[in-house]
Amino acid sequence: MGHVFRTEEQQAAVDGLRRFLNAKIEPVVNKEYRDKFIPREKMSAIMRELTQFGLISGVISEASGGTEIDWLTMIMLFEEVATTSVDLSVPVVINSFGAYMIEQLAPAHLRERYLPGLVNGELFCSIGISEPDVGSNVLEIKTRARRDGDHFIINGEKTWISNGSYSDFLICTCRTGDDPRRGLTHFLLDRKEHPYEVRDIHKIAWNGQSTAQIFLSDVRVPATNIIGNEGEALKNTLSMFERSRVFVAAQGLCIGRRALEEAVRYATGRRQHGKVIAGHQLIAAMLAEMATNVDAARMLVYRAASMIEAGVPAEMEAAMAKYFACEMAVTVARQAVQIHGGNGVTKDFLVEKLAREAIVVPIPEGTTQIQQLIIGRALTGINAF
Ligand SMILES: Cc1cc2nc3c(=O)[nH]c(=O)nc-3n(C[C@H](O)[C@H](O)[C@H](O)COP(=O)(O)OP(=O)(O)OC[C@H]3O[C@@H](n4cnc5c(N)ncnc54)[C@H](O)[C@@H]3O)c2cc1C
């Protein structure tokens, strides 16, 4: 697919990564570990290789040991990873944003201790916001951190936490006060020093990596493990969402892109009524619609990434990208199954997996409905939450 807006440097970076993914990663994630959990050692080995291409390390400045890549190029690289495997893209995005939060907000002792391992792909982090009763409304977080001298004691439960069972540490959003906007604080919990219990959740798809419940029972953590200032977790989370949503939008884009690629391959090989099915106008129309929607999603994702790179507020544009790309994934993956006919619902073809993966992507990082509410608020100034 041609890209008039890629520089030669960006194209070379994308091409190099694509060659590596096709040769080394595709057989692992889509054959050996297809629909199977990738153990931590294996996932870590893959992360270490991906950091060589600027994944994870790219969001960190050279001064802090990263490779400092602009946000649009990061998205272009991330698109290649997520097109090969959405499972693989999850630890990339979570470790990237864990690293980003630590570089931007954490005190020096935490930066020195955790950033190098994240940037070289050896450490895994989790970001724990959601709870059993707290999904779309972050303001209602119940996990409590109670001050005890120069420590805090944390009790509560987090759920749907990506990287959970891989994690070496958890950036945990806790309630430290009752003020609606200044009552939340981020803590870094080291899994060995401040033990938390992890239980994996089995889902319809995205089971190649870990999504987990995390239980926190009288976890004692020093006040020096606060990330950002006490009471600033809501502000810092909302500002992170603007960036991280563009990556989840890219996951939707990639499920659609891969479904389209699989559908084109099948439609040009399968024969019915005396010719390949791509030669039937209704199939051609379906492919045309799929390709146009995939490209439209890419434009929205790239626009949001470009605005972030330019330092322009992009809350509405990130929400539009997330909304459109993730709903597009559901539609396009379903069309890809349809083009495969009966074969489309068997485990022999990738599209059944893509269709299951597509159903998941409109949920994390704010559901489709939450994105619609953000867009509506930006348009009218009226909060309809
Ligand atoms: C694969 C996966 C990975 C995840 N990873 C993480 C992670 O790493 N860290 C983390 O903290 N969380 C994570 N999440 C959690 C995710 O962010 C939440 O699932 C999401 O925010 C929705 O919350 P909920 O599931 O509680 O749904 P709810 O908030 O209960 O929503 C249920 C339904 O109600 C709708 N709804 C809710 N409020 C409104 C409203 N005001 N108006 C209209 N409709 C509304 C929603 O759109 C949805 O359709 C992950 C989730 C998944 C599925």
Side-chain angles (χ1 to χ4, degrees):
M1 208 169 285
H3 291 289
V4 289
F5 43 79
R6 271 188 195 155
T7 63
E8 273 181 36
E9 211 180 8
Q10 285 168 333
Q11 192 63 52
V14 166
D15 289 345
L17 177 58
R18 172 61 29 221
R19 280 192 295 276
F20 166 76
L21 290 166
N22 284 348
K24 296 276 170 61
I25 304 299
E26 176 74 25
V28 176
V29 291
N30 286 326
K31 291 207 171 69
E32 190 182 350
Y33 284 99
R34 180 167 166 175
D35 276 329
K36 285 192 205 133
F37 181 72
I38 302 172
R40 189 200 138 103
E41 288 244 315
K42 186 83 199 168
M43 191 61 103
S44 174
I46 298 174
M47 290 300 126
R48 287 200 296 276
E49 294 196 273
L50 289 179
T51 60
Q52 307 300 312
F53 291 89
L55 276 313
I56 306 172
S57 59
V59 300
I60 300 302
S61 70
E62 285 178 8
S64 299
T67 48
E68 200 170 330
I69 298 174
D70 66 274
W71 288 94
L72 180 58
T73 309
M74 277 305 304
I75 277 288
M76 290 175 180
L77 295 172
F78 184 74
E79 181 185 334
E80 297 310 311
V81 174
T83 299
T84 295
S85 161
V86 79
D87 280 315
L88 211 56
S89 74
V90 175
V92 170
V93 74
I94 299 294
N95 288 344
S96 297
F97 279 93
Y100 180 73
M101 284 179 80
I102 289 176
E103 189 191 28
Q104 299 294 318
L105 302 169
H109 75 102
L110 296 179
R111 284 204 306 274
E112 282 158 19
R113 186 162 169 199
Y114 295 100
L115 257 188
L118 275 182
V119 164
N120 70 23
E122 271 163 24
L123 289 184
F124 287 83
C125 74
S126 282
I127 300 177
I129 303 165
S130 308
E131 300 178 357
D133 294 329
V134 182
S136 298
N137 191 358
V138 179
L139 281 172
E140 289 170 10
I141 279 175
K142 293 195 174 88
T143 294
R144 251 296 153 191
R146 182 175 50 80
R147 196 176 255 285
D148 181 27
D150 55 4
H151 280 66
F152 281 80
I153 313 283
I154 302 178
N155 280 288
E157 184 182 332
K158 297 288 175 184
T159 193
W160 311 116
I161 307 307
S162 301
N163 270 358
S165 67
Y166 296 146
S167 68
D168 296 286
F169 65 92
L170 166 69
I171 298 173
C172 189
T173 311
C174 300
R175 178 157 302 288
T176 45
D178 294 321
D179 183 306
R181 301 208 77 80
R182 291 197 48 88
L184 299 175
T185 303
H186 281 131
F187 290 87
L188 187 150
L189 309 187
D190 186 289
R191 195 162 172 189
K192 287 199 185 108
E193 292 171 18
H194 324 108
Y196 47 87
E197 191 194 330
V198 176
R199 211 175 291 160
D200 263 315
I201 303 170
H202 190 79
K203 308 167 296 297
I204 184 172
W206 301 38
N207 290 312
Q209 50 78 48
S210 165
T211 313
Q213 292 172 285
I214 291 189
F215 302 93
L216 303 141
S217 174
D218 287 335
V219 179
R220 189 175 158 79
V221 59
T224 49
N225 274 33
I226 287 178
I227 295 187
N229 296 316
E230 190 173 339
E232 291 192 351
L234 181 67
K235 182 186 85 175
N236 293 332
T237 298
L238 294 181
S239 125
M240 180 187 71
F241 274 161
E242 191 174 296
R243 287 159 196 261
S244 56
R245 261 180 200 145
V246 184
F247 283 73
V248 181
Q251 289 173 322
L253 157 65
C254 294
I255 294 169
R257 170 179 154 185
R258 185 66 189 256
L260 172 66
E261 289 172 5
E262 298 298 319
V264 167
R265 184 178 313 134
Y266 191 84
T268 49
R270 172 78 176 170
R271 297 184 69 83
Q272 286 296 288
H273 294 97
K275 54 181 172 181
V276 289
I277 59 170
H280 294 300
Q281 290 182 350
L282 296 180
I283 297 287
M286 213 174 344
L287 290 171
E289 187 183 315
M290 292 160 74
T292 307
N293 280 325
V294 169
D295 272 13
R298 183 181 290 103
M299 300 296 140
L300 288 174
V301 168
Y302 283 17
R303 176 181 71 168
S306 302
M307 289 174 74
I308 287 166
E309 179 59 29
V312 179
E315 188 188 41
M316 181 176 81
E317 290 77 6
M320 284 176 167
K322 209 276 175 179
Y323 164 36
F324 184 82
C326 295
E327 291 299 323
M328 177 282 290
V330 179
T331 306
V332 167
R334 193 232 161 214
Q335 288 171 311
V337 171
Q338 192 69 12
I339 286 173
H340 280 68
N343 281 332
V345 295
T346 69
K347 298 275 177 192
D348 297 334
F349 290 83
L350 197 63
V351 288
E352 75 71 40
K353 183 167 184 251
L354 292 167
R356 287 185 285 112
E357 289 174 346
I359 284 181
V360 178
V361 78
I363 296 170
E365 220 69 6
T367 62
T368 290
Q369 290 68 39
I370 296 304
Q371 307 312 321
Q372 290 172 320
L373 291 171
I374 292 169
I375 298 163
R377 183 178 61 194
L379 290 172
T380 63
I382 297 168
N383 198 343
F385 276 81

